[in-house]
Amino acid sequence: MSSIAVNEHTDQHVEDHAHEHHDNFITKYIFSQDHKTIAKQYLISGIIWALIGGFLSLIFRIQLGFPEAQLEWLRPLMGKWITSSGKLDPEFFLALVTMHGTIMVFFVLTAGLSGTFSNFLIPLQIGARDMASGFMNMLSYWFFFVSSIIMFVSLFIETGPASGGWVIYPPLSALPQAMSGSGLGMTLWLVAMALFIVSTLLGGINYITTIINLRTKGMSFLKMPLTIWSFFLTAIIGLLSFPVLLGAALLLIFDRSFGTSFYLSDIYIAGEALPNMGGSPILFQHLFWFLGHPEVYIVLLPSLGITSEIISTNSRKPIFGYKAMILSMLGITVLSFVVWAHHMFVSGMNPFLGSIFMLLTLIIAVPSSIKVFNYLTTLWKGNIIFTPAMLFSIGLVSFFISGGLTGLHMGNSAIDIQLHDTYFIVAHFHLVMGAAAFFGLLAGVYHWFPKMFGRMMDNKLGYIHFWITFVGVYMIFFPMHYIGIAGFPRRYYSFTNFDAFSTFVDLNAFVSIAAFLTFAAQFLFLFNFFYSIFKGKKAPANPWKANTLEWTTPRIPQHGNWPGEIPSVHRWPYDFSKPGAKEDFIPQNVPLSETPESNLPFEAKIVAEEKKAIKS
Amino acid sequence: MIGFSIAVGVFLVLAILLLIFRLHTLVNVMKQSDKKIGSGYNRTNAMLGMVFMVLSLILFFWYSIKNFDIYQIPIASEHGVLTDRMFWITTAITGVVFIITQVLLFYFSYKYQHSSDRRALYFPDNNKLEFIWTVLPAIVLTSLVVYGLIVWNKVMSPAPDNAEIIEIMGYQFAWRVRYPGKDETLGAYDYRKIDATNEFGLDFADRAAFDDFTPRELHLPKGQPVEFRIRARDVIHSVFAPHFRLKMDAVPGMPTRFWFVPTKTTAEMRIETGKPEFNYEIACTEVCGKGHFSMRLLVVVDEPEEYEKWKAEQKPWLSKNPEYLAKVPDNLKELAMVKSQIESTSSIIQESKN
Ligand code: HEM
Ligand SMILES: [Cu+2]
Ligand SMILES: [Cu+2]
């Protein structure tokens, strides 16, 4: 039993959390119920997954950049997936692409990102001692862990892992006759994802309840940092959309193993006509994208929240349009559920539906552009400090612009006819979702590392890491626009079979080299990260002079987060450079009555009330 | 041995790097240089941002202009002109927004870098600004949507009555095409009738199937509407003809269609591209397994007269596989022989009667 008093703000509870705490190694570091430890577990798992996912992409980038290359030297690692002539097996190429996508989208940018920062920041920033249910939180991590193990094991089985793309469209994914990855590999994929969804739901329910119920005194919804808003909305999206994927996966499992025909109809394969009739492969696509599109915002919103926080802090300036930011995130949340079929314009769906989804898709661009303009205005007339976290946040905004704008091409069904499933879409979603979300993750790590480990990361290594990665990402993904406009289809093992795709050999090689360099640069980060955990400079309690509550905890917050009473909140989190104030920041827990020199007229009015509230 | 020395080398290099890093950190601690915010590194980062922005914009324009003809492949269909025009209008609009926002992003970062004798402006919101940049994108997007709807509805409208009907069927890993023959009607099919020879699953109870022919190449008439009837036999594939700006999934159990008008013959394209070997191609753009990247179908666009001539030369499938006459119901055998141009094959009839 954990003895933490779960965050009530009345005095009698202060002593509760001061209870003796008997932790042994296992309950402290492994089966921990402390949100900070669970966050670190997610972070480390996410980093490992990112390395694996990145590594897989390097292998297929070798194939795409240098189709003539002899890959005999990879045989010790890849065994029979290197053919006798020293080439990558075309089927394993698809397996690599599939696993790369699955790992990056789900295991790194969903679990690694939300898992780390929602867990770490929600209690610290809303002023809670821990999550609403520490046990469920622990369970959520361990479901994720088991899911990870299964997905990892599937990489090594005889028939290879799932290979039909991360969207696993049936019938390809339903029929082991269609490709060897659709055998055991696909079964493991489905089992792993089912567990993953359970983990996400456990986590999500916890985030939502914690935010609704455990906010400290004074922390109204409109005083919450934008990070918390973004985690809150992300969890809601996940809660509403992941169950649909679970449903889709279950039906697929039935089709695969129990002879049902939800997705299968009129199939003749491997010299045999299958008995299935009346099913619809399109049904799966609808179900999949009903999760799939919200999923891109599940990946992106936390990063946008993190960035808002970091950009405001390091511009020493309030985030511009706090309420507009919340409204645009709300808008994105709602709209993200009604645009899914823009992935299916040429699937054979009724063209009239296509028109509707085009309309809805382009509407979602409005809140997205509001966010960009608000970031720019926040920088305007700021007093900008380039910490590595700030650089990565600016990088995120740059990617979000570059990738978001091509959404207007993809979202327009008439244009999408040509661009669908080409490298153009690969460029689009890697910039707007892949790179942007990744930069949010990195920015978050640089920014909250001092609170996680009580030490500072090295800035200069951070700068070098940023510049190589930022330039590298553009060098990898920007050229793909050209390749895509020229019509090169995605998920192609080689382009040599077609006259139409015989160009851009040099550009593809360039992209591959850029990918190798960018990947290599990530080791600077890894070194910086692990070295600083043990040897980094000791961090002050509030190294960035930020306003949110986590910086009012001790250098290394212990179980229960605050040694004494939980601070109460008296102002919004963005009082930076307020005219009249002595310092250029005023933390959220400073009462208005202590800052008469800087109070705005409407704040001066509520000082009296506030004083009363503090006394009682 | 070589492996070992490489390992030692790598180890040494890493050790040296580590040492330099450690010394550097210590020196910084002595100099307390991280304490000063506005100093060197802040300015360097701000500068680097500007340098990056300027250089990459130059590179972007230079590359986009220089290689325009490589990535903008010629258009060979009527609707392709419309969709490409939309693409470039959208690109122009987003391009302007792209440049303005990226320039502002890096310029602001540079201009407002930290200085200890200045304070940031406390500017938490401004309804007028918010209003402007909600309404402005909304207007631009509305016009793009309206324009897009017009083009989309035109492209997806039902095919004209005089359209040539051609069936394309995808399977692992190739395409097969079927023409309706003289009766201008595609015969019925049933996937349960598919076998090694009867790849389409033609149903010979349907008289329309008798004269269908299935050539190795896809021929199209220039300047005439053509409707593809698209289907798949095993998994999902997707018909993609890049020069025609045409794409449509081939789905098992759910036939799809796409109509268009080819505007340039293969010969004309050879002159336009300057490549005497030029050929139109159809590729697959929905991952379908091991051979996904190799599903190439050769397409030939002819002048209408050539096309009619080519069509007239094609032999019905049934005439090439007369043993399937056995599957024709007795009352239609006569007709089947006439329609499929099987001559004087009473022997075959005789056989199939037994
Ligand atoms: C804001 C964050 C966004 C994220 C994270 C995101 C992410 C993605 C991803 C991952 C895909 C790939 C699907 C696949 O595997 O085929 C995709 C496709 C697509 N995106 Fe986005 N997107 C974003 C913004 C937008 C915007 C603003 C629009 C339109 C205005 C848009 C329109 C589309 C469309 C239409 C497709 C489907 C294209 C196709 O399959 O041909 N996206 N997006
Ligand atoms: Cu989507
Ligand atoms: Cu394919």
Side-chain angles (χ1 to χ4, degrees), chain B residues 57-71:
Chain B
L57 279 181
I58 293 174
L59 191 65
F60 164 56
F61 277 107
W62 172 77
Y63 192 89
S64 303
I65 292 168
K66 179 172 148 275
N67 294 297
F68 184 79
D69 289 335
I70 303 184
Y71 57 82

Side-chain angles (χ1 to χ4, degrees), chain A residues 252-264:
Chain A
L252 184 53
I253 290 174
F254 284 147
D255 271 7
R256 286 166 55 80
S257 310
F258 305 113
T260 55
S261 308
F262 292 106
Y263 307 132
L264 305 179

Side-chain angles (χ1 to χ4, degrees), chain B residues 207-247:
Chain B
R207 59 182 75 197
F210 300 151
D211 60 350
D212 293 2
F213 63 90
T214 65
R216 285 282 151 194
E217 292 172 357
L218 176 61
H219 278 249
L220 302 173
K222 175 185 150 183
Q224 285 179 23
V226 175
E227 181 170 57
F228 285 162
R229 297 280 170 86
I230 301 165
R231 66 182 168 112
R233 216 168 73 171
D234 36 37
V235 301
I236 302 179
H237 304 268
S238 187
V239 175
F240 177 37
H243 293 94
F244 301 124
R245 307 298 193 261
L246 179 159
K247 189 176 290 142

